[in-house]
Amino acid sequence: MKIPQELKDLIESGAHAHLVTMNKDGSPHVTVVWIGVEGDEIVAAHLPRNQKVRNIERDPRVVISREATSTSNFGLREYAVLHGQARITEGGAAALLQKLAHVYMGPSVKFPPMDNPPPGYITRIRVTRVEGVGPWTGKAV
């Protein structure tokens, strides 16, 4: 699915995202992540091969929630819930984290704050469905 510009703007606004992956036993695993947009994919970076990376390698189904600072015409806080299929690629995590740090922490931040960070992993998410409250849903709420 093509990501609407309003949703790209929300993603690039710097609000933290909640990423839900599925644990081996079927229970949800929720983490806060920095996300960005590359083409029509959502991207996140991880230095270690942590639980969310292992979960996506086993089961590509993910959900991301993101709260906006705006309100709808009905006075509701706008938010987006993105359902998608994820894949993990190796390498490039430090460069993506540095790019995202400028959005989340400020233009002069060095992140990760270490010399020679590991290559890490990038999660690439193809959005299949958008829900929530906001112009990205195509519904008036």
Side-chain angles (χ1 to χ4, degrees):
M1 127 176 229
K2 184 170 174 40
I3 299 174
Q5 187 60 49
E6 297 89 352
L7 186 51
K8 286 181 181 181
D9 293 344
L10 175 62
I11 291 168
E12 294 171 344
S13 71
H16 289 93
H18 301 93
L19 173 66
V20 181
T21 62
M22 300 304 291
N23 288 316
K24 192 180 282 188
D25 66 2
S27 63
H29 179 262
V30 182
T31 58
V32 174
V33 294
W34 295 348
I35 60 173
V37 178
E38 289 184 2
D40 274 317
E41 287 185 319
I42 295 172
V43 292
H46 327 282
L47 292 179
R49 187 173 173 268
N50 51 27
Q51 187 66 47
K52 62 185 158 261
V53 171
R54 293 190 306 273
N55 284 350
I56 292 167
E57 288 172 336
R58 189 187 64 262
D59 184 341
R61 296 175 297 165
V62 297
V63 176
I64 294 174
S65 72
R66 190 78 186 258
E67 187 175 354
T69 57
S70 54
T71 55
S72 72
N73 292 336
F74 292 103
L76 301 173
R77 176 65 64 102
E78 294 182 329
Y79 67 96
V81 177
L82 315 171
H83 298 258
Q85 294 287 312
R87 61 188 168 86
I88 300 293
T89 58
E90 291 190 41
L96 179 56
L97 285 169
Q98 179 60 70
K99 178 181 169 186
L100 294 173
H102 291 271
V103 174
Y104 286 89
M105 299 176 80
S108 61
V109 171
K110 178 187 183 298
F111 195 90
M114 63 179 77
D115 293 329
N116 302 314
Y121 304 87
I122 295 179
T123 297
R124 299 181 180 283
I125 301 167
R126 182 179 51 83
V127 177
T128 57
R129 186 171 87 228
V130 178
E131 297 176 340
V133 172
W136 38 83
T137 65
K139 302 173 193 170
V141 176

